[in-house]
Amino acid sequence: AKATNDEPARVNGLAQEINSVKNELTSMHRHIDELASARRQIEGLQTALLHEKSQRAAAEAALRSELSSGMQEIQATVTGVATTEVVRQRDALAVLDLCKEVERKVREHAARLHSDIVSIKNPSLQEVTMAGAASAAKETTTAEQDFNAEALLQLDTLEGLDKHASRSSKCTLNTARSPLEKQASRVESL
């Protein structure tokens, strides 16, 4: 009779064990489902990361290409500017050399003109002293006419040089011409 009394308790214990195992299995299935869901999420994140990584690599390649292109453009621009500057400096030096040459020629003309003026004045003064006031006036007029013709010829020559010079050399010629014209007017007043 003891065995029969123990049987329902045993059956009850077994039933409770079976329920406990069922609950554990259900809990394990839930965990398995959660793990499978988590695994799918991880795989989705990995796919998204791979996609983002490939996009980043493509963007970096595009930026490198753009940077390289920009650097080549900048280098070409700098080279062009440097070349242009060298040409400008060479042209400026050529103009400066031309101005120096024109200035040298103007100075030579001024020196010759001054020498001519002095040589015209000295003989004229001697003749005035010897020949008297009337003949001196006549000679001075002749000398003035000769000088005026020479001065006009010199000014024409200067203007011819002036046409071939650049703007800066024109400035030099104009500066040099003023003293020549002043000398000419002084001689005319004699």
Side-chain angles (χ1 to χ4, degrees), residues 14 25 28 47 52 57 68 72 76 85 88 92-95 97 100 115 126 143-144 148 152 166 175 178 182-183:
L14 284 173
L25 282 174
M28 285 173 96
T47 303
E52 186 178 327
S68 174
Q72 288 173 350
E85 189 58 32
R88 283 183 186 164
L93 287 174
V95 168
D97 289 343
K100 287 179 180 178
S115 172
Q126 288 173 359
E144 284 177 6
N148 286 340
L152 287 174
S166 68
T175 305
S178 290
K182 286 179 185 174
Q183 287 177 355

Side-chain angles (χ1 to χ4, degrees), residues 60-74:
E60 285 176 1
L63 284 174
R64 276 192 205 103
S65 173
E66 201 173 314
L67 180 63
S68 174
S69 215
M71 289 300 289
Q72 288 173 350
E73 286 177 22
I74 289 172

Side-chain angles (χ1 to χ4, degrees), residues 87-100 166:
V87 169
R88 283 183 186 164
Q89 287 179 359
R90 194 177 314 132
D91 290 347
L93 287 174
V95 168
L96 183 62
D97 289 343
L98 180 63
C99 288
K100 287 179 180 178
S166 68

Side-chain angles (χ1 to χ4, degrees), residues 55-176:
Q55 282 182 331
R56 183 176 290 155
E60 285 176 1
L63 284 174
R64 276 192 205 103
S65 173
E66 201 173 314
L67 180 63
S68 174
S69 215
M71 289 300 289
Q72 288 173 350
E73 286 177 22
I74 289 172
Q75 189 174 17
T77 302
V78 166
T79 301
V81 166
T83 302
T84 302
E85 189 58 32
V86 166
V87 169
R88 283 183 186 164
Q89 287 179 359
R90 194 177 314 132
D91 290 347
L93 287 174
V95 168
L96 183 62
D97 289 343
L98 180 63
C99 288
K100 287 179 180 178
E101 180 65 21
V102 168
E103 182 181 9
R104 184 186 60 75
K105 287 180 181 179
V106 167
R107 286 179 192 255
E108 287 174 4
H109 274 345
R112 269 189 252 133
L113 186 59
H114 180 69
S115 172
D116 289 347
I117 291 169
V118 168
S119 68
I120 289 171
K121 284 171 83 177
N122 287 339
S124 294
L125 288 176
Q126 288 173 359
E127 287 176 16
V128 167
T129 306
M130 290 190 214
S135 66
K138 183 179 176 184
E139 289 297 321
T140 303
T141 304
T142 305
E144 284 177 6
Q145 288 171 350
D146 290 343
F147 175 75
N148 286 340
E150 180 68 24
L152 287 174
L153 181 63
Q154 293 291 333
L155 287 175
D156 285 344
T157 303
L158 287 175
E159 286 174 1
L161 286 173
D162 199 13
K163 288 178 185 176
H164 297 293
S166 68
R167 284 187 207 146
S168 53
S169 66
K170 283 183 183 178
C171 181
T172 305
L173 286 174
N174 287 338
T175 305

